Amino acid sequence: MTSSWQLNCPIQIPAETDCVTLAHGEGGRLSRKLIQERIISVLKNESLETAGDAARLPRVEGPLALTTDSFVVSPLFFPGGDIGSLAIYGTVNDLAVSGARPLWLTLSLIIEEGFPLLILDRVLQSLAEAALSTAVKIVAGDTKVVPRGTVDGLFINTAGVGELTEPVPPGPACLREGDELVVSGPIGQHGIAVLAAREQLQFDPLPHSDCGSLLKAVALLRGALGDRICCLRDATRGGVAAVLQEWAESSGLTLSIDERCVPVSSGVKGMSELLGLDPLHIANEGTMLIAVRQGAGPAAVSVLQTLSKTAEARVIGSVKARGVAAVTVKRTLGPEQPLHDPLGSPLPRIC
Amino acid sequence: MKYLDEYRDPAAAQVLLDEIRRVSTRCWTLMEVCGGQTHSLLRHGIAAELQGTVELIHGPGCPVCVTDQADIDFACQLAKRSDVMLTSFGDMLRVPGSQGSLLDARTRGGQVRIVYSPLDAVELARRQPEKQVVFFAVGFETTAPATALAVKQAAQYQLDNFSLIVSHVRVQPAMESLVESPDHRVQAFLAAGHVCTVMGYQSYDRFVARYQLPVIVTGFEPLDLLQGILAGIRQLEAGEAWLENCYSRAVQVAGNQSARDLVQEVYQVSDCRWRGFGLIASGGLSLREPWLRFDARARFAECGLPVILNSACRSFDVMTGQLKPPECPHFGKQCTPETPLGAPMVSSEGACAAYFRYAGV
């Protein structure tokens, strides 16, 4: 036997690559390497490091809230955010507006074969920073790699658990005539920013997404208004119009807003005019609607205006007895019109 | 927003509304030619404010609504081919053909892409030489210059995988066809400002002289519309009919010469089928001889389909001002934006869509 003997293995061991391969998702050495070196090292916490089949969580005193959301935004990076921070803020905000203090998140990544590892690193870094800033722990996760062409780059799912804190907002079914509607900031920023980035529309300045955490604003608001808050909701897909429709359906009342009171940035206003879109139908990612008891609207606005992110909060309308339409909007010259649910995604017009 | 809020000032609008009421001795019937004007009149509450003073009726000016169903069917048929990427403006995607819309074709696996400019479609063709990129070119004289530019650019790049379904229509022949009808109700026209921005308004001289109806070139913001309406009523009250430009901040008498030259170079005036109207003499544009190689109808001649017309939709009556959308027996019942019988319910400039969205409560 000489020292020159070599094992000639017929199975090719994949070399290091600069992109995600199917082998990264097959549970072997490359999978472990991806998870340990690229995911856990960035997200860093003891629950993830134990790498069990399920996260073991400490006892919680109060009742829990549980939510899940999937993020499939294109492009993955847009002015004001990216899919990583969005996946954290989206779920954290869902818990916050439900009256819960976010505690733990799970994270599932579905990655397209060929996805650049450097881009994955950037997304994970952003995700980790968003988790840190909102003090939530990612305690369990999953990674799948699927063949090229079956997903658009990267999809993320996060699920979140939070502890409900008193007084829990009772929800839209409790709305009654005279209650007031407040929006926390300018609307339509996220949808327009993503549309401009996706279609490479050359607007100057480029619109920025409002992607961000609502935790602080919700905490301040709940501290100041307590049980005068009826319901809160982050106005994501379908925008303000979709939230109002849902609330009107739950309450059986008419929700009426005045378009002139709704804050809209000049960039969003201009692009919406140009493309024939209604900002009330456009998605937000860090802007919420709040319904408060009669007379509490100005107090809610004052509290929100102490934070820079919600400095443009406004009372935009009120709750009325059910009329002909479930949701109405007063336009420029004052007529009240029905405000319908958006129909699918907004399509830009010809001219 | 600058150049927009000024034209939406409620106080200034009120002054004009009062003046219109003051000068009107009877209820006049004015037609807004453009669907964008219809939307603005309803969105801003002008139509409701002037009820009983002026009757505003809708004209044929929504290019999506009047696009022939055969063209939509052809586009859907092309979209189903694995070698074709069908591109168009967002508006066109929800309009029903006889066997569904382009969105339906996409759901069933067709490649359909929204573009914001026909030049984007040319760019797609450059980047994907293995695909035949077809642009569904819809619109009045407002969008024709951009598609003419796309054709020239495709020629410059020597692209043999780019073509157009040309469905451009011309607004004035439709207005002529409308007033030739003995039962038309129009007493004055608010002409479409966007079209005049490109084409100018000289050509309306002959129209006004022949039909003795006031034509007022009008914009789209509340104050533009109110000024146009006031000008029309002043003419009618004085028993006059002349051509007046109330949109001078955007429209010059000769329009945009370079855009007109571009259209002239690439297209020729041709007879055209309008949805609901039938064949309108000189009602459309088609490619001129040197550019015929970019005609998708010739390139994919085998994809033509027999047209199955949907007779339930009353869009012709709506687009000629004979029927207001809420008077249609299908409005809001069988026909909604989710289940449209015709294009006026789904187009962003459609009169039925305007009533569905903005009708008062």
Side-chain angles (χ1 to χ4, degrees), chain A residues 195 199 201 259 266 269-270 273 275 325 328 331-333 335-338 340 343-345 347-351, chain B residues 1 4-5 8 13 42-45 64 89-91 94 114 116 138 143 337-338 348-349 356-361:
Chain A
L195 184 65
E199 306 302 338
L201 303 177
E259 185 183 48
S266 59
K269 204 169 176 182
E273 286 292 333
L275 298 171
T328 65
R331 304 279 189 182
T332 321
L333 300 180
E336 212 170 342
Q337 300 170 343
H340 295 285
L343 180 69
S345 62
L347 298 179
R349 68 181 172 199
I350 284 183
C351 61
Chain B
M1 198 178 126
L4 195 59
D5 289 341
R8 293 183 178 181
L42 288 160
R43 184 179 200 275
H44 298 289
V64 172
F89 298 121
D91 274 30
R94 288 200 182 109
I114 295 173
Y116 293 82
V138 177
T143 52
E338 282 158 312
S348 64
E349 294 192 20
F356 195 88
R357 281 174 74 173
Y358 303 125
V361 292

Side-chain angles (χ1 to χ4, degrees), chain B residues 126-194:
Chain B
R126 279 185 75 188
R127 282 197 217 146
Q128 301 193 52
E130 75 286 359
K131 285 275 175 202
Q132 280 288 334
V133 176
V134 179
F135 179 67
F136 192 1
V138 177
F140 284 105
E141 291 90 334
T142 10
T143 52
T147 55
L149 195 61
V151 168
K152 289 191 69 176
Q153 207 173 73
Q156 192 188 333
Y157 295 141
Q158 298 180 323
L159 295 181
D160 55 11
N161 65 328
F162 176 80
S163 57
L164 297 178
I165 303 172
V166 180
S167 296
H168 285 303
V169 281
R170 299 175 66 237
V171 74
Q172 203 171 312
M175 290 166 66
E176 285 167 12
S177 145
L178 207 146
V179 293
E180 294 283 354
S181 161
D183 55 355
H184 85 84
R185 303 163 56 223
V186 185
Q187 291 172 307
F189 282 103
L190 303 179
H194 285 170

